[in-house]
Amino acid sequence: MKHIRNFCIIAHIDHGKSTLADRLLQHTKTISDRDMQAQVLDDMDLERERGITIKSKAIQMEYIYEGQKYILNLIDTPGHVDFSYEVSRSIAACEGALLIVDAAQGIQAQTISNLYLAIEHDLEIIPVLNKMDLPGAMPEEVKDQIVDLIGCKREEIIPASGKTGQGIEDILSAIINRVPAPSGDPEAPLQALIFDSVFNSYRGIIAYFRIMNGSIRKGDKVKFMATGKEYIADEIGTLKLSLAPKNEILTGDVGYIVSGIKEAKEVKVGDTITHLERPCAEAIQGFENVKPMVFAGIYPVDTEDFEELRASLEKLQLNDASLTFEPESSAALGFGFRCGFLGMLHMEIIQERLEREFNMNVITTVPNVSYWAYTTKGDKFMMRTPSDMPDHNNLDFIEEPYIKAQIITKPEYIGPILNLCMEKRGIIKSQNYLTTDRVEMMFEMPLAEIVFDFYDKLKTISRGYASFDYHVIEFRQSDLVKMDILLNGEQVDALSSLIHRSKAHDFGKRLCEKLKELLPRQQFQIAIQAAIGAKIVARETISALRKDVTAKCYGGDISRKRKLLEKQKEGKKRMRQIGSVEVPQSAFLAVLKLD
Amino acid sequence: MKTKAGIYVHIPFCKQACSYCDFHFSTSLKTAEAVTEAILREIQQQPYFEGNPGIQSLYFGGGTPSILPMRQLGPIVNALEKKFGFADLREFTLEANPDDISGANLSLWRSLGVNRFSIGVQSFFERDLRYMNRSHSAGEAADCIKRAQDTGFSNLSIDLIYGTPGLSDTEWLQNLEYAAALQVPHLSTYALTVEENTPLWAHIRKGRQAEPREESYERQFAILQNFLDSRGYEAYEISNSALPGHRALHNSAYWYGLPYYGFGPSAHGFDGGRTRYSNIAHNVKYARFGSLDEIRSSEDLTETEQMNEFILTRLRLLEGFRIAEFRERFGPEHTETLLQKITTPAGEWFIHDVGSVRLDKPYRILADGISARLFF
């Protein structure tokens, strides 16, 4: 056990985490130079063929240092705010963390929030200044930031470059010398933390774990404490470039378990594995049931694909337990599913995977958060879609989720960011200079406001020099109204949204204007109206098409014209008919693109 | 009555490139000899359509067939007559540019059997012709019509284009009046369409030429309809109108789904059933061909495609289509589906008499989008 080191990497996207990790694998000969070559040259398909790769969630390296063999377990952390719970579980499985900072870009918000998580878990932090080879590197300045941030000594920061290989040996020796060995009790009952899981179509769900106390043997009867489910450890092993079966995994080590689990829901990140016969007294602290915060309707473009969409979502759920979905129907869009996501990125990922991996054409409606509705009768229920809103006679009040948001930026952007956040109903809570050139701002604001167009705006006003992180804190009472959109008098339920009363008029006006841009002109005039209850608050008109006929089918070239119109008709297929008005998919996301 | 066929011959050469044109042509006459040779080969190799239908119409289009000298035009006509026979031939149209219509040419063409001209006048206004980069002048346009009529050619059609920037509504009406005054019995009237990758398209993109305005299309289309009604022209097809007895026989075949042979680079043919074919749109490659399959691509239409073609072609016609004819070809189920689409959601676009369906006049300018809505 004293020759095991468990560590993770904390880095902002694009700060060179994967390249540096690849170097570590190469240097420890975990992956051969030849494979490395193929890996670098090839793409995702190759990754899939191999089943597991250097880009996987965890990998074990062996390294001889001063004549002694060490086991180094690298545990990956997802790099986005939507997955901060998963990050916290990965961190809980480690004793140390490499803090990788781009020497040209300095520290970003995402890095800081994950770093705080690591410090909270008492991880030994090894700061690495990456991309030293870049002409724009400012090592001294960024070192100042790091020293300010974690209070380390300047010389403890390792200059490195994933590209040239600089610093790799220093990093490996720092991991061995500075990260403490795991400190569990080998004789105690089994207590292992699940920090990740993957779906394999042949073997079911493979759970990744770190043993805190005790040990596990092949064939053991085990129990997952949070779900209460019992399994037999059909296969256990360590995570090399491919799965390496073992008979036993000991205290402090990282491994995987295959036990015929079919559904991802059964394997919850943060759950504790113990023995059925001799269970540990308590589960590892910190387990949470992850709840989706953002909801959107996903509808098949072709209404006949409803069942296929269900099958695809079920398959996605196999390896992504945080995705939830239940059938819903919309007058405008037909039958589809109300899906729950961890956040906006998660939503985008699901949408993309549906289209890429399952070849589904889907319409995604405007996302919304979940609200508590309190009725005059004293009941409360969760609203997941604007159409859940009770009419105002029955509604007492609504609560909406608030977040604590952290933004790190340069001092010159404080003003614009403050304006943006206030526009989004945010309240500034603190402002803190991390270095003379880097300021951290903390806000409390409604989650609903960042679901719309917050990221893009933040990026624009700060010219990319702002990083953003958040977590949900509580539900607060809020004065919200339901805004409906009508096309030629017909309400389009999929375009309804809940909005704060103070912003409703302006919002309705801008939404109508945006829809005017997005709806194609048709053979007749189209009226676009925004309404709160029965009251119309905004209106735009799209004039009728004036000419839509090609001059001639010259020399009898009928085919070309037919194909042209068939293509036009294909395009129409991707649209939805609301009354007589054809609405393209882009319109259903119009709310997101208001400026 | 036995179905008759038409013949279309594409002459892919022009003196000058009209800025809006996206048909296949070359302004280099270097390959004219070789292309003519190849057309002769193609005619020889062409298998007869089923039942070897008689030929009722012959149409030379382009490009500009009127620039082809007699030593090239003559052999093509002779070869066609030899192969297909002209016993049933009623209409022989040659597309001509005003500046080619000289007295000498007129008598040569007459000797070949030409009995109808389609003249690319486009406009009687100089400024308009320059916008389109036409090779003739406004004066030439009027002169050539009179010259043809004086030589005894009364069956004339002229092309006129509306919607060009700078063409006022008054001028457009004047163009039409002028044509009527010249006693031209057939008018092909086109809304200027800016096709991608034409010089006009490029000029507009670079801001060097003005873009046509949609409002003027709509207005000038309405002016056109009024004019035609008041002068006794029948708008028998969206872009074609004629005094009684002067409908274009050849072009009508396209709309009614009758068979036609196509010869020459980029030409299209249709066997009247379900097979369409087209030739390669490349003069040099065409000229070199040995066997037909090197230049032809053909397409067997599915039932859906046949229905869609039926809809798109027939809706362009004044008469529309007879429901019985559709039912006979495609069966009662499809007929039911089609009729449903016609009644909802926008029945007002159609005039739905007992037994037939046609586009109501004001909506003819929207024919494409409406057809697409009816597609299967």
Side-chain angles (χ1 to χ4, degrees), chain B residues 96-249:
Chain B
N97 259 1
D99 43 341
D100 291 328
I101 303 181
S102 63
N105 273 340
L106 283 169
S107 44
L108 284 170
W109 289 329
R110 176 190 290 280
S111 70
L112 266 187
V114 174
N115 59 16
R116 183 175 180 270
F117 288 103
S118 168
I119 306 172
V121 170
Q122 318 307 353
S123 175
F124 294 104
F125 289 96
E126 204 65 50
R127 185 191 53 223
D128 224 19
L129 293 171
R130 276 200 304 271
Y131 178 87
M132 297 184 259
N133 196 34
R134 295 291 304 186
S135 64
H136 65 274
S137 67
E140 273 174 321
D143 289 349
C144 80
I145 292 169
K146 287 178 198 146
R147 202 175 305 125
Q149 286 167 334
D150 289 347
T151 322
F153 288 98
S154 61
N155 199 3
L156 301 178
S157 173
I158 65 170
D159 291 352
L160 290 174
I161 289 187
Y162 61 94
T164 50
L167 178 75
S168 70
D169 294 355
T170 320
E171 287 166 336
W172 170 233
L173 186 59
Q174 281 170 352
N175 266 338
L176 294 167
E177 298 281 9
Y178 205 55
L182 287 166
Q183 290 177 309
V184 177
H186 187 279
L187 302 175
S188 288
T189 44
Y190 303 118
L192 178 72
T193 308
V194 183
E195 302 282 0
E196 251 180 60
N197 299 322
T198 56
L200 179 61
W201 175 80
H203 292 158
I204 288 173
R205 269 184 20 143
K206 288 180 191 147
R208 283 203 225 116
Q209 270 183 322
E211 196 172 357
R213 295 235 311 271
E214 225 185 23
E215 302 78 43
S216 47
Y217 285 136
E218 192 190 24
R219 283 197 318 271
Q220 293 181 4
F221 183 75
I223 291 169
L224 171 66
Q225 302 308 316
N226 283 336
F227 164 83
L228 296 172
D229 282 349
S230 64
R231 296 310 174 100
Y233 285 90
E234 199 180 42
Y236 68 98
E237 197 266 344
I238 283 177
S239 320
N240 291 290
S241 8
L243 295 174
H246 284 90
R247 289 191 182 195
L249 189 61

Side-chain angles (χ1 to χ4, degrees), chain A residues 231-298:
Chain A
Y231 307 97
I232 291 172
D234 294 334
E235 180 183 318
I236 55 169
T238 52
L239 300 152
K240 303 287 190 177
L241 198 56
S242 54
L243 299 178
K246 292 262 164 62
N247 282 322
E248 191 179 31
I249 313 270
L250 301 174
T251 317
D253 211 350
V254 170
Y256 70 88
I257 175 169
V258 179
S259 49
I261 303 171
K262 292 278 180 291
E263 288 192 52
K265 297 189 253 209
E266 292 182 37
V267 180
K268 294 195 186 286
V269 168
D271 200 352
T272 304
I273 308 175
T274 191
H275 278 126
L276 193 59
E277 302 289 323
R278 188 178 159 235
C280 56
E282 53 188 30
I284 298 157
Q285 280 186 355
F287 173 77
E288 275 174 35
N289 253 321
V290 189
K291 287 206 185 64
M293 288 311 300
V294 172
F295 295 84
I298 293 188

